[in-house]
Amino acid sequence: KRIRTMNGQHVSNAVGMDVEILTEGYWPKLNIPACNLPESINIAICDFRDFYLNKYNGRKLSWQTSTGSSEIKANYGSGAKTKRYDLTVSTYQMCILMLFNNKDTLTVKEIAQETNIPDAELKRHLISLSTARFRVLRKGSKGKGISGDDDTFTYNPGFTNSKRKVRI
């Protein structure tokens, strides 16, 4: 676990986070609903919010989850053949991938319910995670598109790449 200091207090969290604060004049408010972030990310957000609002009284923070990016440290393979990758993904892709920490196979409907990502964006990001170039997930149906809400996606333990850092 990572230990860091905020405002003289020690905060323990396994998530490192870099935040860019912009005013709405530079970063206009988007009418895209925020997705459901993983619990570990929500804890880091709450820690940062407490720190920031303590330091700058009277300001308001809003998170644009549709525009962020994330770096995930992921292990693929098994036993002695386990290889660690640093996957650079969008916030939506991170939310999708984090679901596979708890379950190896999920349907599109289950992913949509857990993440609250808008349908068009969800399908686009699922396809990008399961294409031939970066097949970190395996799609249950044949073809390039998603056949419906019952289409399944499975963690792909056989994912390999020649580079340790992979930008999806």
Side-chain angles (χ1 to χ4, degrees):
K1 287 199 168 199
R2 179 181 306 214
I3 305 291
R4 62 184 192 279
T5 304
M6 276 196 209
N7 218 14
Q9 298 176 342
H10 290 291
V11 180
S12 174
N13 193 341
V15 175
M17 191 167 80
D18 293 323
V19 178
E20 293 182 31
I21 305 289
L22 301 172
T23 63
E24 283 190 11
Y26 292 103
W27 195 267
K29 190 168 186 163
L30 303 172
N31 286 333
I32 299 171
C35 66
N36 296 333
L37 297 168
E39 186 63 29
S40 58
I41 304 298
N42 281 328
I43 291 169
I45 285 173
C46 286
D47 289 346
F48 179 79
R49 182 184 309 125
D50 292 346
F51 163 76
Y52 184 80
L53 295 179
N54 247 348
K55 189 168 183 170
Y56 302 103
N57 194 11
R59 294 191 183 176
K60 181 183 172 196
L61 289 174
S62 62
W63 299 91
Q64 301 295 327
T65 58
S66 62
T67 58
S69 65
S70 179
E71 186 173 290
I72 296 177
K73 296 183 185 326
N75 296 319
Y76 282 89
S78 61
K81 293 189 177 199
T82 299
K83 189 167 179 186
R84 184 175 174 156
Y85 294 97
D86 295 336
L87 305 177
T88 302
V89 295
S90 71
T91 303
Y92 285 166
Q93 289 169 327
M94 180 260 311
C95 291
I96 293 166
L97 290 173
M98 294 287 284
L99 294 175
F100 290 91
N101 284 338
N102 302 323
K103 200 171 176 184
D104 284 345
T105 301
L106 295 163
T107 64
V108 172
K109 185 177 183 177
E110 290 172 326
I111 296 169
Q113 288 172 342
E114 289 287 327
T115 61
N116 198 34
I117 297 171
D119 274 350
E121 289 295 310
L122 177 63
K123 289 178 181 178
R124 185 171 72 88
H125 289 291
L126 281 170
I127 289 170
S128 70
L129 291 168
S130 62
T131 60
R133 186 166 181 218
F134 302 112
R135 196 176 309 252
V136 294
L137 298 177
R138 286 186 291 202
K139 188 164 66 78
S141 66
K142 301 289 183 197
K144 291 185 180 182
I146 294 175
S147 59
D149 283 349
D150 293 332
D151 206 352
T152 60
F153 287 84
T154 305
Y155 164 76
N156 179 13
F159 169 75
T160 60
N161 196 290
S162 59
K163 297 179 181 175
R164 185 174 172 267
K165 290 188 173 235
V166 180
R167 184 173 184 85
I168 298 177

